[in-house]
Short mmCIF file of all heavy atoms in Angstrom, two decimals:
data_model
loop_
_atom_site.label_atom_id
_atom_site.label_comp_id
_atom_site.label_asym_id
_atom_site.label_seq_id
_atom_site.Cartn_x
_atom_site.Cartn_y
_atom_site.Cartn_z
N PRO A 415 17.86 10.48 2.36
CA PRO A 415 17.47 10.89 3.65
C PRO A 415 16.39 10.04 4.31
O PRO A 415 16.42 9.90 5.55
CB PRO A 415 16.99 12.36 3.46
CG PRO A 415 16.64 12.42 1.99
CD PRO A 415 17.59 11.47 1.32
N THR A 416 15.56 9.47 3.53
CA THR A 416 14.49 8.57 4.04
C THR A 416 15.09 7.30 4.67
O THR A 416 14.71 6.92 5.79
CB THR A 416 13.47 8.22 3.03
OG1 THR A 416 12.92 9.46 2.40
CG2 THR A 416 12.34 7.38 3.60
N TYR A 417 16.07 6.76 3.97
CA TYR A 417 16.81 5.65 4.51
C TYR A 417 17.44 5.97 5.88
O TYR A 417 17.31 5.18 6.80
CB TYR A 417 17.93 5.21 3.51
CG TYR A 417 18.85 4.11 3.98
CD1 TYR A 417 18.65 2.80 3.66
CD2 TYR A 417 19.95 4.46 4.80
CE1 TYR A 417 19.56 1.85 4.14
CE2 TYR A 417 20.83 3.50 5.27
CZ TYR A 417 20.57 2.20 4.93
OH TYR A 417 21.45 1.22 5.37
N LEU A 418 18.02 7.16 5.98
CA LEU A 418 18.69 7.58 7.19
C LEU A 418 17.66 7.65 8.36
O LEU A 418 17.92 7.20 9.51
CB LEU A 418 19.39 8.88 6.99
CG LEU A 418 20.14 9.48 8.26
CD1 LEU A 418 21.14 8.46 8.71
CD2 LEU A 418 20.81 10.77 7.85
N VAL A 419 16.49 8.21 8.12
CA VAL A 419 15.44 8.38 9.07
C VAL A 419 15.05 7.06 9.67
O VAL A 419 15.00 6.78 10.90
CB VAL A 419 14.22 9.11 8.52
CG1 VAL A 419 13.07 9.01 9.50
CG2 VAL A 419 14.52 10.56 8.29
N PHE A 420 14.80 6.00 8.79
CA PHE A 420 14.33 4.77 9.27
C PHE A 420 15.50 3.89 9.88
O PHE A 420 15.28 3.02 10.70
CB PHE A 420 13.59 3.99 8.17
CG PHE A 420 12.20 4.56 7.93
CD1 PHE A 420 11.97 5.50 7.07
CD2 PHE A 420 11.15 4.07 8.66
CE1 PHE A 420 10.70 6.04 6.81
CE2 PHE A 420 9.85 4.52 8.55
CZ PHE A 420 9.63 5.55 7.56
N PHE A 421 16.71 4.16 9.36
CA PHE A 421 17.86 3.54 9.95
C PHE A 421 17.99 3.96 11.41
O PHE A 421 18.24 3.12 12.28
CB PHE A 421 19.09 3.98 9.16
CG PHE A 421 20.42 3.25 9.60
CD1 PHE A 421 20.82 2.12 9.00
CD2 PHE A 421 21.23 3.86 10.57
CE1 PHE A 421 21.96 1.49 9.37
CE2 PHE A 421 22.38 3.26 10.92
CZ PHE A 421 22.75 2.02 10.36
N GLU A 422 17.83 5.24 11.70
CA GLU A 422 17.88 5.78 13.05
C GLU A 422 16.68 5.33 13.85
O GLU A 422 16.84 4.92 15.00
CB GLU A 422 17.93 7.26 13.04
CG GLU A 422 19.20 7.85 12.44
CD GLU A 422 20.43 7.55 13.24
OE1 GLU A 422 20.32 7.35 14.44
OE2 GLU A 422 21.58 7.45 12.65
N LEU A 423 15.51 5.17 13.19
CA LEU A 423 14.33 4.77 13.92
C LEU A 423 14.45 3.28 14.35
O LEU A 423 13.89 2.91 15.41
CB LEU A 423 13.11 4.91 12.94
CG LEU A 423 11.73 4.64 13.60
CD1 LEU A 423 11.43 5.66 14.72
CD2 LEU A 423 10.64 4.68 12.53
N ALA A 424 15.24 2.48 13.59
CA ALA A 424 15.46 1.10 13.96
C ALA A 424 16.57 0.92 14.97
O ALA A 424 16.91 -0.19 15.30
CB ALA A 424 15.75 0.29 12.68
N GLY A 425 17.10 2.05 15.48
CA GLY A 425 18.15 1.92 16.54
C GLY A 425 19.40 2.60 16.15
O GLY A 425 20.15 3.08 17.04
N GLY A 426 19.76 2.69 14.83
CA GLY A 426 20.96 3.34 14.43
C GLY A 426 22.25 2.68 14.72
O GLY A 426 23.31 3.22 14.39
N ASP A 427 22.20 1.47 15.30
CA ASP A 427 23.43 0.74 15.53
C ASP A 427 23.68 -0.27 14.45
O ASP A 427 22.95 -1.33 14.31
CB ASP A 427 23.31 -0.01 16.92
CG ASP A 427 24.66 -0.61 17.35
OD1 ASP A 427 25.40 -1.13 16.51
OD2 ASP A 427 24.84 -0.66 18.59
N ALA A 428 24.74 -0.03 13.60
CA ALA A 428 24.92 -0.89 12.45
C ALA A 428 25.19 -2.32 12.84
O ALA A 428 24.83 -3.29 12.18
CB ALA A 428 26.09 -0.31 11.66
N ASN A 429 25.93 -2.55 13.93
CA ASN A 429 26.28 -3.95 14.32
C ASN A 429 24.99 -4.70 14.69
O ASN A 429 24.85 -5.86 14.32
CB ASN A 429 27.28 -3.90 15.52
CG ASN A 429 28.64 -3.38 15.17
OD1 ASN A 429 29.08 -3.67 13.97
ND2 ASN A 429 29.25 -2.63 16.00
N VAL A 430 24.12 -4.06 15.41
CA VAL A 430 22.83 -4.71 15.81
C VAL A 430 21.97 -4.91 14.60
O VAL A 430 21.40 -6.03 14.35
CB VAL A 430 22.05 -3.83 16.85
CG1 VAL A 430 20.71 -4.51 17.14
CG2 VAL A 430 22.92 -3.72 18.09
N LEU A 431 21.94 -3.96 13.72
CA LEU A 431 21.06 -4.09 12.50
C LEU A 431 21.61 -5.16 11.50
O LEU A 431 20.90 -5.79 10.79
CB LEU A 431 21.00 -2.77 11.77
CG LEU A 431 20.03 -1.75 12.46
CD1 LEU A 431 20.25 -0.37 11.86
CD2 LEU A 431 18.63 -2.16 12.35
N MET A 432 22.93 -5.35 11.53
CA MET A 432 23.50 -6.40 10.69
C MET A 432 23.38 -7.76 11.31
O MET A 432 23.54 -8.79 10.68
CB MET A 432 24.96 -6.07 10.34
CG MET A 432 25.18 -4.93 9.41
SD MET A 432 26.88 -4.79 8.88
CE MET A 432 27.68 -4.31 10.48
N GLY A 433 23.11 -7.78 12.63
CA GLY A 433 23.05 -9.08 13.34
C GLY A 433 21.62 -9.44 13.63
O GLY A 433 20.89 -9.97 12.79
N LYS A 434 21.17 -9.16 14.85
CA LYS A 434 19.83 -9.59 15.28
C LYS A 434 18.73 -9.05 14.43
O LYS A 434 17.70 -9.70 14.15
CB LYS A 434 19.62 -9.18 16.72
CG LYS A 434 18.23 -9.51 17.31
CD LYS A 434 18.15 -8.97 18.76
CE LYS A 434 16.75 -9.22 19.32
NZ LYS A 434 16.60 -8.72 20.69
N LEU A 435 18.94 -7.77 14.06
CA LEU A 435 17.83 -7.08 13.21
C LEU A 435 18.18 -7.03 11.74
O LEU A 435 17.75 -6.14 11.03
CB LEU A 435 17.65 -5.70 13.75
CG LEU A 435 17.28 -5.55 15.21
CD1 LEU A 435 17.04 -4.06 15.60
CD2 LEU A 435 16.02 -6.39 15.50
N ALA A 436 18.92 -8.05 11.23
CA ALA A 436 19.22 -8.08 9.79
C ALA A 436 18.07 -8.03 8.89
O ALA A 436 18.07 -7.34 7.90
CB ALA A 436 20.09 -9.33 9.50
N PRO A 437 16.90 -8.69 9.23
CA PRO A 437 15.68 -8.63 8.34
C PRO A 437 15.21 -7.17 8.27
O PRO A 437 14.68 -6.72 7.22
CB PRO A 437 14.68 -9.54 8.98
CG PRO A 437 15.57 -10.49 9.75
CD PRO A 437 16.68 -9.74 10.27
N THR A 438 15.32 -6.38 9.39
CA THR A 438 14.89 -5.00 9.39
C THR A 438 15.78 -4.15 8.52
O THR A 438 15.22 -3.35 7.70
CB THR A 438 14.90 -4.47 10.78
OG1 THR A 438 14.05 -5.24 11.61
CG2 THR A 438 14.48 -2.96 10.84
N LEU A 439 17.08 -4.34 8.53
CA LEU A 439 17.94 -3.59 7.70
C LEU A 439 17.74 -3.92 6.25
O LEU A 439 17.78 -3.01 5.37
CB LEU A 439 19.40 -3.84 8.09
CG LEU A 439 20.50 -3.07 7.30
CD1 LEU A 439 20.29 -1.55 7.36
CD2 LEU A 439 21.89 -3.43 7.78
N ALA A 440 17.52 -5.18 5.98
CA ALA A 440 17.19 -5.60 4.59
C ALA A 440 15.91 -4.95 4.06
O ALA A 440 15.82 -4.51 2.92
CB ALA A 440 17.02 -7.10 4.54
N ALA A 441 14.91 -4.89 4.90
CA ALA A 441 13.63 -4.24 4.52
C ALA A 441 13.77 -2.75 4.25
O ALA A 441 13.26 -2.25 3.25
CB ALA A 441 12.58 -4.44 5.66
N ILE A 442 14.49 -2.11 5.07
CA ILE A 442 14.83 -0.67 4.90
C ILE A 442 15.59 -0.47 3.59
O ILE A 442 15.28 0.44 2.80
CB ILE A 442 15.58 -0.05 6.15
CG1 ILE A 442 14.75 -0.11 7.37
CG2 ILE A 442 16.01 1.38 5.85
CD1 ILE A 442 15.40 0.20 8.63
N SER A 443 16.58 -1.26 3.37
CA SER A 443 17.45 -1.10 2.17
C SER A 443 16.62 -1.42 0.89
O SER A 443 16.74 -0.66 -0.06
CB SER A 443 18.67 -2.05 2.28
OG SER A 443 19.42 -1.86 3.43
N MET A 444 15.85 -2.43 0.93
CA MET A 444 15.01 -2.76 -0.28
C MET A 444 14.02 -1.71 -0.49
O MET A 444 13.76 -1.29 -1.70
CB MET A 444 14.36 -4.09 -0.05
CG MET A 444 15.30 -5.35 -0.11
SD MET A 444 14.39 -6.90 -0.20
CE MET A 444 13.57 -6.92 1.38
#
Side-chain angles (χ1 to χ4, degrees):
T416 304
Y417 172 97
L418 180 58
V419 168
F420 284 92
F421 185 90
E422 295 295 333
L423 188 64
D427 189 325
N429 292 324
V430 175
L431 285 168
M432 288 187 295
K434 178 182 178 182
L435 301 183
T438 299
L439 182 58
I442 295 172
S443 303
M444 289 190 295

